[in-house]
Amino acid sequence: TRFDSYNSRSEPGSFFAGGKKAYLDRIEWLEIPDEETKIAGIETGEWDIVDYAGLDFFQRLDSNPDIGVMISTPGNQSSITIQSNVFPTDNKLVRQAIGAAINAEDHMASLGDPALWMLCPAVFFCGTPLESDVSAEFYNENNPERAKELLAQAGYNGEPIVIMNPTDYPQLTPLGFVLKPQLEKAGFNVEMPTMDWASIVGKLREKDWNMFTNFCASWFCGDPLLHFIVSEGHYMGGNPDLVQLQLDFAMEQDAGKQMEIVEEIQRVWYDNQHFVILGQWFPIYPHRTYVRNFRPTFVPIYYNAWLVDK
């Protein structure tokens, strides 16, 4: 509910900076797990905005004259997060085999409309100042035979690999159903129990899984100082080389030298494969056309937005 005594800054609003005008009397959030119900509600005007609609609905929503669809770029990075301190993914060769087995294009295509995703090998996102193609030859390898060779070198004997993949998250659920057969084709023994996202989050610090399907927003994973994969003591097992490179980046003031550090991070990243990059996808925020000045980026921002007569 609007606090009428709030005094906004006077300059124009810009993302989280500047003026924040509270034009709306009240904002109500509804948690609606079913995607079809969410979409039906925005189509009938039962609610005004949907936060993070499934990408499969883009063309249907975009063709509706009563609905506008905001697209957020550079978006999110789809990935496979690997726990590096449990058997058998504690072996770098096994993790490299996972990377070699991946057909990233099939994963991204499973998310929906090709207008809303792109292939990208850059650790810190394509379309940003930190974009790099270092070690890009290890991205989207789609090479199950090389994966088999790496598994043989690792001494892998068919031990189960446990994938956590949510059944209730449209931007993640399809990935597991692409990942499992790709790994099996490369010789992995894969288990993928049925789980919801809340259960996965509750198990992240346990040791009974090997990987989970994931995505991360550009504001977080596009920043070398924030990205959790280079953090010491993370549940995936902190890599000391990545931790030191993160510190080097933080202390370096020259932009050119910072970029050299980014490229070294990417080289170490692909060599160790703690985190297999699949590509980037762009969240969509459908809203009724009477909602004006709604400007989501990685989160929907409701100040400075208003409604016109329906």
Side-chain angles (χ1 to χ4, degrees), residues 43-190:
E43 289 174 329
T44 60
E46 189 173 353
W47 35 81
D48 307 306
I49 297 170
V50 169
D51 178 15
Y52 262 50
L55 305 190
D56 279 341
F57 296 98
F58 174 61
Q59 294 294 344
R60 171 174 155 185
L61 295 167
D62 195 46
S63 63
N64 188 326
D66 297 321
I67 295 175
V69 182
M70 300 293 296
I71 301 174
S72 179
T73 60
N76 299 327
Q77 186 183 74
S78 291
S79 59
I80 302 160
T81 305
I82 303 175
Q83 188 163 204
S84 306
N85 51 8
V86 297
F87 182 80
T89 48
D90 56 350
N91 187 322
K92 183 171 76 170
L93 291 172
V94 172
R95 298 195 302 273
Q96 289 177 341
I98 294 169
I102 296 303
N103 179 335
E105 187 168 3
D106 282 357
H107 280 85
M108 299 309 295
S110 75
L111 297 180
D113 196 302
L116 298 175
W117 58 264
M118 64 182 292
L119 296 177
C120 172
V123 169
F124 299 115
F125 288 73
C126 291
T128 74
L130 301 183
E131 178 181 348
S132 171
D133 62 359
V134 167
S135 298
E137 65 270 22
F138 299 114
Y139 168 73
N140 190 24
E141 287 188 71
N142 189 22
N143 192 342
E145 294 307 314
R146 179 172 181 268
K148 291 177 182 178
E149 293 172 2
L150 289 165
L151 288 180
Q153 294 175 37
Y156 176 75
N157 290 311
E159 296 86 357
I161 300 286
V162 178
I163 300 173
M164 296 197 298
N165 184 68
T167 58
D168 58 346
Y169 217 134
Q171 295 85 3
L172 290 178
T173 302
L175 299 179
F177 295 100
V178 177
L179 175 61
K180 186 175 185 290
Q182 286 187 1
L183 294 184
E184 289 173 337
K185 184 178 180 181
F188 285 93
N189 174 16
V190 180

Side-chain angles (χ1 to χ4, degrees), residues 198-210:
S199 299
I200 290 174
V201 172
K203 290 176 68 66
L204 288 183
R205 295 191 178 276
E206 297 180 10
K207 305 295 185 183
D208 57 351
W209 58 272
N210 297 98

